[in-house]
Amino acid sequence: MSSPAPELSQELAWELATGGPWPAPERLQGDDMFMALALREGMKGVGLASPNPPVGCLLVQAQRIIGTGVHTRAGDPHAEIMALRDAESRGEEVPGATAYVTLEPCCHQGRTPPCTEALIQAGVTRVVVGIGDPNPRVAGGGLAILRAHGREVREGVLAESCARFHAPFFKFIRTGLPWVVLKLAMGADHSLGPAGKTTQVTPPTIQHWAHALRRAAEAIVVGGGTVAIDDPQLTDRWPTPTLPHRAFLRVVLDSHGTLPRDRRVWQVVPGQPTLRAVVGEPAPLRDVEDLRLPPGPGGCSLRHLLHELAARNVGRVLFEGGGTVARQLLEQDLVDEFHRFVACQPAGGEVLPLDLSGLPRTRARIPFPTGSWEVLTR
């Protein structure tokens, strides 16, 4: 007998936006339980740490958590250092503790000192790692150093979950491109609604929870047609406050610069600047930066746009709205993750043909009263 589907909630929406759903710690024991808790610690850094990974770390002594840490900003201390500081602030004794880390500790001097050295000096005697770091500056070196200093190392605990959680960082390291998330709301007829009209396919509660996808990303991109018809503001309205350093780029594909000045997306929002992706040199817009890109199918080159965003340390980008842009992304095999909100009722427009051959796996299908939230992945 299969277990009932989880109920969609704000907490589950955040899990889906960060690569989940994730293993429930209360259903696990031992190393698996503590690694599941470390994953939840790491979730606090999603959307904040790019281009670095949002690593989570726990320090455990005699089956008791004595320190927690998460990496939330490139250049700031890593999760292991934050966990050590947390333990110190609690007056806890670290020597003899076990560290649970979602990603292999770094072993090189970058903008921060190596975490392997900090763990060794603190007297941590056992290190449990979720997944190895593919960064050539680490790539097994962190584990080797820990073992060379007599530390017990166990790797591969909840490896599949940790690999999925850190997949955006892995892609960034291997390809230099951000993780691409596509989001569409469709009717049961696989339509986005009548052409040229704003159609509310999902209820306000689901639209609110879907903002988790914006909070998890560092940039959002929409087509010019969506801006012309729906006039969205494209801001991050997730209810939980974020750290002041976070920047959320709002990008509009306006190849020829034809969208009028009165669109709400051009309005200045602190911490959420607007960029206009254009071909050529259209007339400038005040307070809006232009990204000049080579032409591509239907307008701008989407692949070049991804490279431009990566150069701005965007590790995760959300494409939201626009059937034409969605088709182009899928046809060019640029999508890593597709969040499809499918209503029980038809939307009443033309069927949107989508090539989903590059996204063969269904990671999640969570029902809600008027439809379902489906996540398709590579």
Side-chain angles (χ1 to χ4, degrees), residues 73-143:
R73 185 178 187 176
D76 281 0
H78 290 182
E80 297 91 329
I81 308 302
M82 297 302 291
L84 290 170
R85 291 181 179 179
D86 184 43
E88 181 182 6
S89 71
R90 301 185 192 191
E92 297 283 0
E93 295 292 331
V94 173
T98 296
Y100 292 86
V101 194
T102 58
L103 186 68
E104 177 183 1
C106 67
C107 55
H108 62 281
Q109 177 71 48
R111 283 192 278 181
T112 58
C115 292
T116 49
E117 180 180 328
L119 293 172
I120 291 166
Q121 290 183 352
V124 170
T125 55
R126 183 170 182 259
V127 180
V128 180
V129 174
I131 192 74
D133 188 345
N135 187 337
R137 302 179 73 184
V138 184
L143 302 182

Side-chain angles (χ1 to χ4, degrees), residues 2-8 12 365-367:
S2 60
S3 58
E7 183 177 347
L8 186 56
L12 181 54
R365 181 180 288 111
I366 310 297

